[in-house]
Amino acid sequence: MSAIELKQYLKSKANVNDAINLQRFFKTGPGEYGEGDIFHGIKIPILREATKKFMNLSLADIQEVLHSKYHEERMISLFLLINKFKKAEPKEKKTIYNMYLKNTKYINNWDLVDLSSHHIVGAYLFDKEKDILYKMAASKDLWKKRIAIISTFYFLRRGDFVPTFKIAEMLLNDKHDLIHKGVGWMLREVGNRDMGAEEEFLLCFYKQMPRTMLRYAIEKFPENKRQAYLKGRM
């Protein structure tokens, strides 16, 4: 199997109408966050099946597919990287992690970040220094910032909330809606595991949070408490 064969296979599964709908959904118009992205119009179950079919693709071929102009081709390359990472020895895990970070400009929409960053970046950094995440959170690049916060999903699922809170605080004043949503989502995930830890953070910062971030963070709170946060009465 090769990158060329994978691209040909995906092209055979293309659906023009679905592609048009996806380009609207993922905001690909001028000035929007996904500006210029194009789609084959392939549904996720088909991509999952293709991942199984091409699971033995080499890292070089996966990287070639990751550089594709087509969204679904970049997506399947990330599925393949995740599969390889999970089975890899430590040396190859490091290679995959480094490859991921060197190619973040191609991981350039929220779904691509969300499906992959915690499985690769988060998993690799779990028992290591997290400085690279803080550097990414402080960058001007939307997708690097999203990668930074979503990568912490791996940590918080294992009881380590510190990186999530640190990056959330760094991103409190970010202007982009996709960062507000990502941070709020991760804070909500902390609360799913330890409500007290989430509320300790919220009580310090909820009044300065963007509204969308706060709404995502408190989505599962009891209604009376949710309203108290929204009205600034906590």
Side-chain angles (χ1 to χ4, degrees):
M1 295 292 185
S2 67
I4 291 174
E5 289 174 298
L6 174 53
K7 290 180 178 183
Q8 289 174 338
Y9 178 84
L10 293 176
K11 189 175 181 180
S12 74
K13 302 294 183 181
N15 182 299
V16 174
N17 290 331
D18 286 342
I20 292 170
N21 290 333
L22 286 167
Q23 282 172 216
R24 291 196 191 104
F25 181 76
F26 283 102
K27 308 296 184 185
T28 62
E32 295 182 308
Y33 63 75
E35 180 176 356
D37 204 356
I38 60 174
F39 291 75
H40 282 304
I42 305 173
K43 297 185 184 300
I44 296 293
I46 296 174
L47 293 176
R48 293 286 188 188
E49 283 301 313
T51 301
K52 295 175 185 177
K53 184 178 179 70
F54 289 87
M55 62 185 298
N56 293 321
L57 214 62
S58 70
L59 284 179
D61 278 329
I62 291 172
Q63 181 168 265
E64 181 180 337
V65 178
L66 182 57
H67 292 180
S68 172
K69 64 182 180 179
Y70 286 100
H71 189 100
E72 293 95 340
E73 293 184 12
R74 300 197 302 283
M75 179 176 282
I76 198 171
S77 73
L78 294 170
F79 285 149
L80 290 165
L81 275 184
I82 292 165
N83 286 351
K84 281 193 177 293
F85 184 91
K86 288 178 177 178
K87 299 173 184 177
E89 297 298 323
K91 185 176 180 180
E92 189 178 19
K93 285 182 186 292
K94 183 177 182 179
T95 297
I96 294 169
Y97 162 80
N98 286 332
M99 176 179 160
Y100 188 98
L101 291 187
K102 288 177 181 176
N103 287 279
T104 54
K105 70 177 181 179
Y106 302 104
I107 306 167
N108 57 354
N109 217 312
W110 59 264
D111 61 326
L112 302 179
V113 172
D114 295 0
L115 73 88
S116 63
S117 59
H118 58 295
H119 287 300
I120 295 176
V121 179
Y124 183 77
L125 293 176
F126 180 58
D127 57 354
K128 301 175 181 65
E129 292 296 322
K130 313 294 191 294
D131 291 354
I132 185 63
L133 293 184
Y134 307 135
K135 182 178 179 180
M136 293 171 77
S139 77
K140 295 181 179 180
D141 185 277
L142 169 62
W143 304 118
K144 286 183 179 179
K145 289 185 284 188
R146 181 112 179 172
I147 287 169
I149 187 61
I150 303 301
S151 291
T152 71
F153 196 15
Y154 189 92
F155 315 144
L156 70 84
R157 290 173 72 179
R158 288 155 181 81
D160 182 4
F161 307 142
V162 173
T164 302
F165 290 148
K166 184 171 181 177
I167 294 173
E169 185 175 353
M170 291 176 68
L171 296 174
L172 281 175
N173 297 314
D174 196 88
K175 303 300 183 186
H176 205 289
D177 185 64
L178 286 176
I179 299 302
H180 303 168
K181 291 177 179 178
V183 172
W185 171 27
M186 289 301 102
L187 292 174
R188 185 175 73 235
E189 290 294 341
V190 170
N192 286 343
R193 292 153 179 84
D194 187 334
M195 183 68 77
E198 182 188 3
E199 285 211 69
E200 185 176 349
F201 181 86
L202 289 177
L203 288 171
C204 292
F205 299 109
Y206 82 98
K207 288 186 178 180
Q208 68 188 86
M209 279 184 177
R211 202 69 165 174
T212 297
M213 186 185 294
L214 178 59
R215 286 186 179 278
Y216 269 60
I218 63 175
E219 184 178 303
K220 295 186 178 180
F221 282 21
E223 183 60 18
N224 60 339
K225 182 175 284 189
R226 200 176 70 84
Q227 288 302 321
Y229 273 103
L230 291 172
K231 294 172 183 177
R233 295 175 180 170
M234 289 300 296

